[in-house]
Amino acid sequence: MKEKMIVPTWGYVFLLIIIFVPFLYVYAMTAQWSPFAVKGSLFLQFYGICLGGSCLAILLPRLFDSLADFYAPLKWLFIFMLVVGLARLCQGIYHHKPVGYLVLMLIAEWGVWQLGKMGYNEKR
């Protein structure tokens, strides 16, 4: 029988902080919470903070050796980031704006996600 993985409480709190910090940055810069209503350069900063936080979310559990317990919530973080990035990519293409940097960041996010998956699969 497969063991049930239990995610520690700090894992959920950590992921909520990682998701909240970029939105807090957008609010501090523009006094609005929506990253879709800001200009392109500020959105790239927002997305860069999200990408840095996701890298931190992959590396930090390795230090605490609780890698297998953290996989499920981390997957939802990456799905959230991918949906936000793809939505903004579609918005940029629709309005005929340059989206090259965002495409590169989406590719980097996919690469980070694949490296994280490899690390989780090695640990199991």
Side-chain angles (χ1 to χ4, degrees):
M1 189 168 161
K2 199 174 191 181
E3 289 184 30
K4 187 175 183 179
M5 287 201 254
I6 299 171
V7 178
T9 307
W10 65 266
Y12 288 118
V13 172
F14 179 66
L15 282 178
L16 285 175
I17 290 171
I18 287 176
I19 290 172
F20 183 68
V21 166
F23 286 98
L24 189 63
Y25 174 74
V26 168
Y27 183 76
M29 299 298 279
T30 63
Q32 60 186 359
W33 291 99
S34 175
F36 295 106
V38 298
K39 293 201 176 246
S41 61
L42 186 60
F43 181 80
L44 289 177
Q45 293 171 3
F46 163 81
Y47 205 73
I49 293 170
C50 283
L51 192 58
S54 64
C55 290
L56 184 66
I58 287 176
L59 295 176
L60 195 61
R62 280 184 179 235
L63 296 176
F64 293 122
D65 199 30
S66 63
L67 203 54
D69 297 333
F70 207 59
Y71 180 73
L74 188 61
K75 177 177 67 172
W76 290 108
L77 172 69
F78 273 94
I79 290 172
F80 170 74
M81 284 181 48
L82 187 64
V83 167
V84 169
L86 289 175
R88 187 63 190 231
L89 180 70
C90 292
Q91 183 182 13
I93 291 172
Y94 179 75
H95 292 291
H96 305 288
K97 300 289 183 179
V99 293
Y101 287 120
L102 183 56
V103 169
L104 291 175
M105 291 177 97
L106 285 168
I107 291 170
E109 179 192 353
W110 181 80
V112 167
W113 173 241
Q114 293 304 315
L115 289 174
K117 270 178 44 177
M118 286 177 11
Y120 281 100
N121 289 336
E122 288 174 7
K123 190 73 174 177
R124 288 187 197 174

